[in-house]
């Protein structure tokens, strides 16, 4: 069953945030973190920072667009997902391999996991 669209969006923004947060302004990082990580409403963030809900909304929307633009150009999340998928498939294949091969491959697999 597919995830709810808002949950999918939240998960994607959180992953993009992990990769690109340092490229955002401090205010964008703070507002995105409050909204997507801490589940604050626009009103709660506005009250906390003494600004309008519209201003909070605009900061969050701009930050989301920036994250998507960074991903479009750099593709760090896409590459991470591809590596994760490949590692999972390799582990499945090694599950069918001889014990000797599994032992030899284990350090390399671990090293590949640590790349991200």
């Amino acid at each position: 069953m597919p995830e709810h669209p808002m949950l999918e969006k939240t998960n994607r923004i959180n992953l993009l945030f992990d990769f690109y947060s340092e490229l955002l302004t401090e205010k964008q990082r703070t507002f995105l973190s409050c909204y997507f990580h801490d589940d604050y409403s626009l009103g709660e963030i506005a009250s906390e920072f003494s600004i309008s809900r519209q201003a909070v909304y605009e900061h969050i929307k701009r930050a989301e667009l920036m994250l998507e633009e960074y991903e479009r150009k750099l593709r760090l999340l896409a590459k991470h997902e591809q590596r994760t998928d490949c590692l999972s498939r390799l582990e499945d294949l090694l599950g069918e391999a001889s014990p000797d091969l599994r032992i030899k491959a284990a350090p390399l697999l671990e090293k590949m996991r640590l790349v991200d």
Side-chain angles (χ1 to χ4, degrees), residues 69-101:
E69 182 65 12
Y70 293 139
E71 177 60 10
R72 187 184 69 74
K73 291 179 178 177
L74 301 171
R75 301 191 35 78
L76 296 178
L77 176 57
K79 291 173 186 175
H80 167 76
E81 289 172 339
Q82 288 173 346
R83 279 190 302 275
T84 300
D85 181 56
C86 287
L87 278 170
S88 176
R89 290 171 35 204
L90 279 171
E91 288 171 337
D92 290 346
L93 288 172
L94 281 171
E96 301 169 9
S98 69
D100 187 48
L101 182 56

Side-chain angles (χ1 to χ4, degrees), residues 2-84:
E3 289 185 56
H4 186 272
M6 188 59 189
L7 181 57
E8 286 180 16
K9 177 183 177 182
T10 298
N11 288 339
R12 179 165 176 82
I13 294 297
N14 284 329
L15 287 168
L16 292 174
F17 187 84
D18 289 344
F19 283 100
Y20 303 113
S21 64
E22 292 302 313
L23 300 175
L24 299 173
T25 67
E26 181 64 34
K27 193 175 283 189
Q28 288 172 329
R29 281 194 300 271
T30 300
F31 290 172
L32 277 180
S33 183
C34 288
Y35 190 71
F36 286 104
H37 293 159
D38 302 330
D39 203 27
Y40 284 25
S41 69
L42 295 177
E44 289 170 324
I45 299 168
S47 177
E48 178 75 23
F49 293 94
S50 302
I51 61 174
S52 71
R53 289 183 60 202
Q54 183 63 32
V56 172
Y57 175 81
E58 289 172 6
H59 279 290
I60 290 172
K61 281 296 158 196
R62 173 97 170 116
E64 288 178 31
L65 291 172
M66 296 298 298
L67 291 174
E68 291 293 351
E69 182 65 12
Y70 293 139
E71 177 60 10
R72 187 184 69 74
K73 291 179 178 177
L74 301 171
R75 301 191 35 78
L76 296 178
L77 176 57
K79 291 173 186 175
H80 167 76
E81 289 172 339
Q82 288 173 346
R83 279 190 302 275
T84 300

